[in-house]
Every structure is written in C-alpha cells, then in structure tokens.
Amino acid sequence: EWSHLEWLSLADNTVTNLQWEAVPVGLLNLDLRRNRLGAFDLPDGLTNLTYLVLASNRLDRVTLPPDLVSLEVLALPDNRLTTYAVPTNLPALLALYLDGNPLSNLVVGPTGAQLLELYLGRTALHDLALLQETPNLVTLSLAGPPGMDLTAAGGLGVLGSLTNLHRLDLSRNGLTNVSFGSLPSTLEYLELNGNELSSLSLPSGLDGLRHLQLSRNRMRDLSFLSRISGPGTEVSLDLNEMESAELPAGAGSVGMLHLDSNRLRSLVVPAGYHQLTLLSVSENQLTNLTLAADLQSLRTLFCENNQLRRVDVPGTLGQLTELGLRQNALVELRLGEGL
C-alpha cells in the first residue's frame, strides 16, 4: 500500500501532527514546510527517502529513525530548535539546513565529515570551532541577521582548514572589519553583502575567486581590487552610498564591476583592467566618466540614470557591444574611431 508514492508535499497548510497508518516505503521526497508542527517523529521504513524538508514550522524536537540510509538533504531552517545533535546514522547526508533557529548548541559528530553543505546563519551559535568536524564542506552559510560574533573563539581562522570550500556567505552579520587569516584556494564565491565594511583585506592565494559580493556596505577603500587574483572576478559594490570612488590601477583580474546605485559624481577607470568585460555604474550622479584606452576586453558599459552631459568612448574599446546611456543629460557622445 502506497508503495508507488515517491513525492509528498503538504507545504503551506496548518498541519500540527502527522500520523502514519501506512508507511509509503518508496517515498523519495517529503515536504512539510510552512506548517504548525511543534515536534516531528518519522517512522521506520523510509529507506528510500532522499529529501526531508521541515522548514518554517514550530519544531523544538525532531526524531529520525535509524534506517534513513538514503537521506541526502535535511532541511530544518526557521524553527525553534535551541540544541541539536546531528544523527550519526545518516550515511548519505550531504546538506544540512539549520539557519533561522535559536540554536546555542550544535553537536556535529562523525556525520560532519561527509557534509558538503551547511547552513548556520541566523542562529545563536558563537563558536566556529565546530567547523573542524566538517572538513569537506563545499558550501558554508553563516548569513545573518542576527549576526554571529565572528571575532569570538578564534573568529574566522578555522575557515582556512576547509580545503574544499567553494562558497562562503557571511552576509548581514554587522561586520565592520573582517580578518580572514587565510581562506582556501578553492573558494569561488565570497558573499559579504549587508555588512558595515568600509575596507577589505583579502588573503593571498584566492586564484579561483569568481564572485565577490560587497553590496550594501559602506565601502570607501577600493584598493583591494588590485589584489584580486581570480580568473576575471565579478565584483559587486552597488548600494554602498559612495560619493567618490578611486579605482586602483592594475586591477587586471577584475572581470565585471558593479557600482550601481551609489552617489558617485565622478569615476575614472585607470589603466590595467585588462580582463574587464562589464562595467555598470547606473543609478548614480555621474557628471564625469573617464575610461582608460586599454580596456580592450570591455563588452558592456551601463551608465544609465546619471547626469552625464558628455561621454568619450575610446576607439580602442573595439569589443564593446552594449552601451547604455538612457536617462542622462547627454548633449555629446564621441565614439572613437575603431568602434
């Protein structure tokens, strides 16, 4: 009975209790998000279950059976868990979501060694030493709010030991300063959105960094751009309330640069941005834009919603395919020979 049922979604209901008179042994995906469950007990026999989603309930207790040998994703975000011990009998578990719980105590145990994704943002955890038990993480999210005290208990020093880490999210933690010490060379995505950073010091060796997100900070010092060593890294600096921005020369590894929705009045892009393919400075107050002649890789230039009256585009920008100047005060556009 129910042996053919593989996907069961009861999301967005008012379920307070789930009783199993018959166990659908072929079930692969069980989705109970956004209900009113206060506790949850899963029966034996669901050996094929791969995804279990219990997000946005009222859970303060979750009990799992010993035979969940196929479970890969356990999603428990936005509940009321204050303490949680990761079960030791989940041999296939790869992703664990605990963000948005008032967790003050988390016991990772031996299961941590197999985890590839861990989401711990918006919790009451303060000691990142537990990450020593999760050495193979590919994705780690510590995004707030409320923010973690990332300076406590050794701060972010433990991150250097996560030698497979590809994505790190530290957004919305109220950071005014961040000291990484070291970060793994495997890192591709570093998210620092929604903090209070005015400057950034990046460790060396981030040769694989492809995306650096710094939106909604208070960035003023952009000298870090010249220390980026990734393969055409995309950098987002929109919504930083910058009135001026001095781009450092020689930032040859920056591939895309977003400076939208600031308060910039003038911008000079100096020489050395050889990998820059996209520059977006829309929604500012620009009256002056100066582009170096050696931006040979630039294909997209967006300068919409500014106060530009005159724009000179060097003829050496022969790769340019998109130019957006909508809603300016433009009276003169000079396109250099060669475009």
Side-chain angles (χ1 to χ4, degrees), residues 208-221:
L209 190 64
R210 296 182 179 275
H211 301 274
L212 176 57
Q213 298 185 10
L214 286 158
S215 300
R216 295 184 184 276
N217 277 275
R218 298 184 178 182
M219 294 296 295
R220 299 296 182 267
D221 181 359

Side-chain angles (χ1 to χ4, degrees), residues 82-102:
T82 58
T83 183
Y84 188 71
V86 183
T88 59
N89 54 332
L90 300 176
L93 190 66
L94 300 177
L96 177 61
Y97 295 74
L98 289 167
D99 42 316
N101 281 280

Side-chain angles (χ1 to χ4, degrees), residues 210-269:
R210 296 182 179 275
H211 301 274
L212 176 57
Q213 298 185 10
L214 286 158
S215 300
R216 295 184 184 276
N217 277 275
R218 298 184 178 182
M219 294 296 295
R220 299 296 182 267
D221 181 359
L222 304 184
S223 60
F224 72 92
L225 291 172
S226 63
R227 297 190 293 274
I228 291 175
S229 58
T233 303
E234 180 176 13
V235 181
S236 296
L237 284 160
D238 45 298
L239 293 162
N240 271 264
E241 300 184 357
M242 284 184 284
E243 296 183 359
S244 62
E246 183 177 347
L247 299 184
S253 292
V254 176
M256 300 183 186
L257 183 57
H258 301 269
L259 289 162
D260 305 287
S261 301
N262 283 284
R263 299 173 182 173
L264 296 173
R265 292 183 170 84
S266 178
L267 180 67
V268 177
V269 182

Side-chain angles (χ1 to χ4, degrees), residues 37-244:
L37 293 167
F40 183 74
D41 296 275
L42 197 66
D44 295 329
L46 294 169
T47 57
N48 294 304
L49 191 66
T50 304
Y51 296 91
L52 176 57
V53 181
L54 294 164
S56 302
N57 278 276
R58 303 171 181 178
L59 293 170
D60 55 21
R61 180 181 62 80
V62 176
T63 303
L64 302 179
D67 60 351
L68 290 180
V69 294
S70 300
L71 191 67
E72 296 180 2
V73 176
L74 177 57
L76 302 170
D78 297 305
N79 279 289
R80 299 178 180 178
L81 297 169
T82 58
T83 183
Y84 188 71
V86 183
T88 59
N89 54 332
L90 300 176
L93 190 66
L94 300 177
L96 177 61
Y97 295 74
L98 289 167
D99 42 316
N101 281 280
L103 271 177
S104 58
N105 183 42
L106 173 62
V107 179
V108 177
T111 305
Q114 69 200 44
L115 286 177
L116 300 183
E117 300 182 28
L118 182 58
Y119 299 82
L120 295 176
R122 297 179 292 119
T123 67
L125 293 169
H126 295 295
D127 191 349
L128 296 183
L130 62 88
L131 297 177
Q132 295 172 0
E133 299 180 81
T134 59
N136 297 308
L137 286 180
V138 173
T139 297
L140 173 62
S141 175
L142 300 172
M148 265 190 190
D149 183 1
L150 297 176
T151 62
L156 298 170
V158 68
L159 297 175
S161 64
L162 303 178
T163 55
N164 295 317
L165 196 65
H166 284 211
R167 181 185 293 269
L168 175 61
D169 190 353
L170 299 174
S171 299
R172 300 179 301 281
N173 272 281
L175 294 171
T176 57
N177 180 50
V178 58
S179 177
F180 290 109
S182 66
L183 286 172
S185 60
T186 53
L187 196 66
E188 295 183 3
Y189 298 84
L190 178 55
E191 300 172 46
L192 290 161
N193 299 318
N195 284 291
E196 302 290 332
L197 296 170
S198 59
S199 63
L200 180 66
S201 178
L202 288 175
S204 60
L206 296 180
D207 298 335
L209 190 64
R210 296 182 179 275
H211 301 274
L212 176 57
Q213 298 185 10
L214 286 158
S215 300
R216 295 184 184 276
N217 277 275
R218 298 184 178 182
M219 294 296 295
R220 299 296 182 267
D221 181 359
L222 304 184
S223 60
F224 72 92
L225 291 172
S226 63
R227 297 190 293 274
I228 291 175
S229 58
T233 303
E234 180 176 13
V235 181
S236 296
L237 284 160
D238 45 298
L239 293 162
N240 271 264
E241 300 184 357
M242 284 184 284
E243 296 183 359
S244 62

